[in-house]
């Protein structure tokens, strides 16, 4: 069988190591659809996988990459035909299944959706799991009745992948967006994405010192968790909603029930990995219509497979800005 290129993770007593390697296609896992991968992307979870953290990978050697866009080489009798352009996010691809940091992947057809025609391959991966999750969060706020005009909507971890896309989408939809970030130097970047103002991490953390603060945020998208989520819950407006998707600042949550029972605040949990197909179609179609593509392009960097390995520490340290697309053929 033909060879393909991949980042291969191997585990030894010294830990997990990563290297770009040439592999035979017969090493790909079983699955009905063979995909020629064009691009993947770098998410926080990819950083964890590349560094062997978080207990996400069960078996080594392993090919990481939780997202991919590519062309079907062999549909294997599924609804997909050779030449179809497909996208895969979640379903634990790149964690328990070999993923997109490779020029070929074999996947289950149930995990694939047709790539949106309105988005280029690079834009599709600039969105990736991070952008997909950001849109799920926006949909959750809408489902809880939070409308443009209701007041400030906070996005925490705004400089990261989920945060950047969330700011851009909310601003395009007409929301009054506040970027929550530990990086004051990114103020110009947040304004370009459409944020009206910046609030620092310390200020958000301080809010959590009392069970209730003055009502400020009509809605919030939280990618950080921990003390930041505890803090913002206290400053939600009456009947406000928070879409919580991340733990970049910690998995813990210390709070009281006061925001829930006095202000009727909703805390909505967001998971992208096992999202059902019907929701996936909605999310991609809303991304195609509501994400300003020029802003996405401006927030996107492109690197090759080799360079992706070196970015794992940076994304875990919270120092990557916006979205990083991996050109697996570079
Ligand atoms: N639920 C799901 O299905 C799902 C899907 C995708 C992602 N996620 C989660 O969402 C989070 C964000 O993912 P991402 O891909 O956007 O990651 P990312 O690009 O690394 O962004 C995370 C951002 O969080 C902020 N941050 C990092 N460390 C922090 C700390 N110690 N305290 C406070 N803020 C910190 C930084 O933003 P600032 O510098 O601007 O403060 C950073 O840019 C991750 O926890 C990820 O696992 C969940």
């Amino acid at each position: 069988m033909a060879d393909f290129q991949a980042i291969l993770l191997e585990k030894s007593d010294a830990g997990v190591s990563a290297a770009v390697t040439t592999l035979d296609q017969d090493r790909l896992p079983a699955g009905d659809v063979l995909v020629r991968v064009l691009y993947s992307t770098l998410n926080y979870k990819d950083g964890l996988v590349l560094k062997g953290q978080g207990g996400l990978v069960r078996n080594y050697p392993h090919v990481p990459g939780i997202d991919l866009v590519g062309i079907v080489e062999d549909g294997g009798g599924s609804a997909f035909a050779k030449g179809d352009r497909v996208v895969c996010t979640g379903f634990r691809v790149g964690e328990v299944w070999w993923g997109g940091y490779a020029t070929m992947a074999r996947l289950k057809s149930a995990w694939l959706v047709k790539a949106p025609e309105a988005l280029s391959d690079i834009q599709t991966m600039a969105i990736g799991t991070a952008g997909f999750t950001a849109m799920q969060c926006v949909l959750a706020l809408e489902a809880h009745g939070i409308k443009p005009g209701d007041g400030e909507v906070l996005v925490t971890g705004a400089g990261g992948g989920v945060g950047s896309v969330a700011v851009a989408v909310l601003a395009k939809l007409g929301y009054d967006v506040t970027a929550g970030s530990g990086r004051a130097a990114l103020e110009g970047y947040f304004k370009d994405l459409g944020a009206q103002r910046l609030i620092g991490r310390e200020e958000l953390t301080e809010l959590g010192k009392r069970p209730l603060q003055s009502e400020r945020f009509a809605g919030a998208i939280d990618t950080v968790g921990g003390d930041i989520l505890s803090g913002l819950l206290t400053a939600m407006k009456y009947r406000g909603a928070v879409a919580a998707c991340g733990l970049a600042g910690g998995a813990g949550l210390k709070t009281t029930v006061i925001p829930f029972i006095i202000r009727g605040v909703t805390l909505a949990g967001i998971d992208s990995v096992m999202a059902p197909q019907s929701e996936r179609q909605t999310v991609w179609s809303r991304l195609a219509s509501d994400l300003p593509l020029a802003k996405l392009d401006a927030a996107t960097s492109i690197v090759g497979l080799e360079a992706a390995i070196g970015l794992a520490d940076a994304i875990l340290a919270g120092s990557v800005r916006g979205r990083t697309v991996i050109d697996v053929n570079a």
Side-chain angles (χ1 to χ4, degrees), residues 44 133 157 159-162 181-183 201 223-224 245-248 270 272 315:
Y44 187 87
T133 307
V162 178
S181 176
R183 289 182 275 179
R201 272 184 209 169
T223 74
V224 173
C245 72
L247 42 55
I270 301 298
S272 63
I315 195 151

Side-chain angles (χ1 to χ4, degrees), residues 155-282:
V155 177
T156 65
V162 178
S164 295
V165 174
V167 170
V169 169
L170 288 168
K172 168 141 190 237
L173 292 171
Y175 287 91
D176 176 5
V177 186
T178 298
S181 176
R183 289 182 275 179
L186 292 187
E187 187 161 8
Y189 170 75
F190 298 133
K191 293 254 163 87
D192 289 346
L193 287 176
Q196 297 296 314
R197 65 196 73 73
L198 172 67
I199 181 169
R201 272 184 209 169
E202 297 72 25
E203 198 179 333
L204 287 170
T205 304
E206 280 294 307
L207 293 172
K209 296 200 166 150
R210 286 171 45 193
L212 270 190
Q213 301 280 355
S214 305
E215 294 184 50
R216 175 165 178 183
F217 305 114
I221 292 178
D222 178 54
T223 74
V224 173
D227 293 343
I228 301 267
L229 178 54
S230 310
L232 69 89
L233 280 169
T234 68
M236 298 306 295
K237 281 187 169 180
Y238 186 70
R239 294 271 167 109
V242 181
C245 72
L247 42 55
L253 178 60
K254 274 194 233 146
T255 185
T256 71
V257 298
I258 301 298
F260 308 112
I261 64 173
I262 303 291
R263 298 233 175 109
V265 169
T266 296
L267 181 57
I270 301 298
D271 166 64
S272 63
V273 179
M274 301 309 292
Q277 280 294 354
S278 56
E279 184 178 319
R280 285 171 190 269
Q281 306 288 351
T282 306

Side-chain angles (χ1 to χ4, degrees), residues 128-138 162 245 270-272 283:
T129 285
F132 183 94
T133 307
M135 182 52 86
Q136 285 182 296
C137 291
V138 172
V162 178
C245 72
I270 301 298
D271 166 64
S272 63
V283 169

Side-chain angles (χ1 to χ4, degrees), residues 108-123:
K108 296 191 178 170
S109 54
W111 301 339
L112 300 173
V113 293
K114 287 218 167 157
E117 283 176 17
L119 302 169
S120 70
D121 298 321
I122 290 174
Q123 286 165 338

Side-chain angles (χ1 to χ4, degrees), residues 54-134:
L56 298 169
V57 178
R58 287 190 195 148
N59 298 305
Y60 293 90
H62 176 71
V63 174
I66 68 169
D67 298 330
L68 63 90
V69 65
I71 306 293
V72 171
E73 277 293 315
D74 182 350
S78 72
F80 295 97
K82 184 173 166 70
D84 282 350
R85 198 171 148 256
V86 290
V87 60
C88 181
T89 63
F91 291 113
R92 305 207 68 193
V93 170
E95 301 175 52
V96 299
W97 199 269
W98 281 18
Y101 288 2
T103 54
M104 298 299 291
R106 198 176 285 119
L107 302 159
K108 296 191 178 170
S109 54
W111 301 339
L112 300 173
V113 293
K114 287 218 167 157
E117 283 176 17
L119 302 169
S120 70
D121 298 321
I122 290 174
Q123 286 165 338
T124 302
M125 280 299 98
I127 292 168
T129 285
F132 183 94
T133 307

